[in-house]
Amino acid sequence: MGGLGGTARRTWLVVSVVVGTCLSFLVLLVVGTYSAAASLAGSVEGAVGLAPGAVPAVYVSLVEKWGGLCPSLSPPLLAAQLYQESGWNPNAVSGADAEGIAQFIPGTWATDGFDADGDGKADVWDPGDAIPSAATYDCELAQDVKNVPGSNTDNMLAAYNAGAYAVIQFDGVPPYAETQDYVRRITTLAQSFTAPTSTLAPSQQAAGAIYFAQSKLGTPYLWGGTGTAADGGRFDCSGLTQAAYKSVGITLPRVANDQWNAGPHPTRSQLLPGDLVFFATDLSDPRTIHHVGIYVGGGYMIDAPHTGATIRFDPIDEADYIGATRVTQAGAQALPTDTPSS
């Protein structure tokens, strides 16, 4: 949530310069970087590979293999389902008794779970069985609704939520708010797990988020701080990024590793001002993210580093840099709101 582990982060020379110089430097960075990027804006359409670091490394091979089981499924889409269902927790249990990383209810597991890893047991708690079973179940549903008009992927997801009969009955995604929301969430979340094949479109809210963050330069850090009056207007790292995007109408989760999936992941060379930049103890596992800042261009971010420091500019090219997220309104809205317990 805050900057634990960031205590060794280097203090940049901004600490020693006057505020007016800081703000002038920031303006130049933002304007210059956006000017250079203006002709590069593109989309993520057509990309089907996993974004580096988006999926915990222990599950990458399973997601890549089984995410290509049928044309209506893809590794990013399967990853989005697993993240939505359990947050990559293989021991997750929901209030409806859904179990494991893929959140199968016992009745569905009894009919659709199988021993994919060949160890002699179909185990809902074993991702080596549960992930392939989830992909196989998806593809069976895609086959069940293959003659329904519209996107077979959307219809497959709708069938996963509401049942194939409902999709067939309504000739597409049923008019159920829960089902429509599920289809929207998964297809949007999939963008956060997709490796871009072209330059991502710039964020429309980035300038406002940066303006908020730069207005807090020099504010003392507070572990758990969200900028409230009770906090004395102080922030920790994710409290600052949450407040910056709240100022432009986007609601982010409270902690840094939950903010990671609020949009697609630009590469280091694709970074633009306003992107969130993240740092982790294990670069192969986004669940270990411990710090976040707001990129401002030129290799620097505004962040709330750690206890005893103030909100300041820091370089992003540190050994624990795991990647970045281009926050979108849809991406933030698609994030899971309830996580099953262990």
Side-chain angles (χ1 to χ4, degrees):
M1 182 163 62
L4 286 184
T7 53
R9 198 171 300 281
R10 296 196 303 271
T11 302
W12 189 44
L13 57 83
V14 166
V15 174
S16 65
V17 299
V18 297
V19 172
T21 302
C22 289
L23 300 187
S24 297
F25 176 70
L26 176 60
V27 170
L28 289 173
L29 282 176
V30 174
V31 173
T33 305
Y34 266 100
S35 296
S39 62
L40 299 177
S43 72
V44 74
E45 284 297 320
V48 294
L50 291 176
V55 173
V58 66
Y59 304 128
V60 167
S61 60
L62 282 168
V63 173
E64 287 182 334
K65 175 182 178 180
W66 291 94
L69 186 61
C70 64
S72 297
L73 191 62
S74 68
L77 196 74
L78 179 59
Q81 282 188 294
L82 296 168
Y83 176 72
Q84 170 73 31
E85 294 296 334
S86 68
W88 303 113
N89 180 2
N91 302 311
V93 180
S94 77
D97 294 325
E99 300 173 332
I101 196 168
Q103 289 291 280
F104 276 96
I105 60 173
T108 304
W109 181 257
T111 57
D112 292 278
F114 69 98
D115 176 23
D117 59 13
D119 65 358
K121 179 183 179 182
D123 186 358
V124 72
W125 305 108
D126 182 356
D129 292 338
I131 291 175
S133 295
T136 302
Y137 183 54
D138 276 337
C139 291
E140 289 173 353
L141 292 172
Q143 183 68 17
D144 290 341
V145 298
K146 66 178 181 179
N147 295 322
V148 176
S151 164
N152 189 242
T153 294
D154 287 355
N155 290 336
M156 174 190 75
L157 294 173
Y160 183 94
N161 180 265
Y165 176 76
V167 176
I168 294 169
Q169 179 186 15
F170 287 101
D171 274 337
V173 179
Y176 308 148
E178 177 186 329
T179 302
Q180 293 178 347
D181 182 62
Y182 181 79
V183 173
R184 178 187 60 79
R185 283 179 179 271
I186 298 303
T187 54
T188 301
L189 271 176
Q191 297 177 32
S192 182
F193 293 97
T194 302
T197 56
S198 60
T199 304
L200 298 168
S203 166
Q204 299 302 307
Q205 293 88 1
I210 292 172
Y211 178 81
F212 179 92
Q214 61 89 12
S215 74
K216 305 303 178 183
L217 287 168
T219 302
Y221 174 96
L222 176 68
W223 172 262
T226 58
T228 64
D231 294 332
R234 294 172 292 171
F235 301 87
D236 64 12
C237 66
S238 56
L240 176 64
T241 53
Q242 182 188 50
Y245 270 94
K246 183 178 180 180
S247 75
V248 292
I250 295 179
T251 301
L252 291 175
R254 174 65 187 92
V255 297
N257 59 5
D258 288 337
Q259 295 176 2
W260 169 250
N261 289 109
H265 303 294
T267 64
R268 175 65 180 83
S269 63
Q270 294 174 330
L271 283 180
L272 289 177
D275 291 344
L276 296 186
V277 284
F278 295 86
F279 305 82
T281 56
D282 180 351
L283 300 187
S284 70
D285 191 347
R287 293 171 299 180
T288 69
I289 287 172
H290 63 82
H291 188 64
V292 61
I294 299 179
Y295 188 62
V296 295
Y300 290 90
M301 64 179 170
I302 296 176
D303 68 327
H306 54 78
T307 300
T310 62
I311 294 174
R312 67 193 189 194
F313 291 99
D314 272 318
I316 70 166
D317 291 317
E318 302 286 351
D320 55 348
Y321 175 77
I322 188 174
T325 297
R326 184 151 304 157
V327 175
T328 67
Q329 182 75 263
Q333 290 175 345
L335 292 173
T337 55
D338 297 306
T339 303
S341 60
S342 297

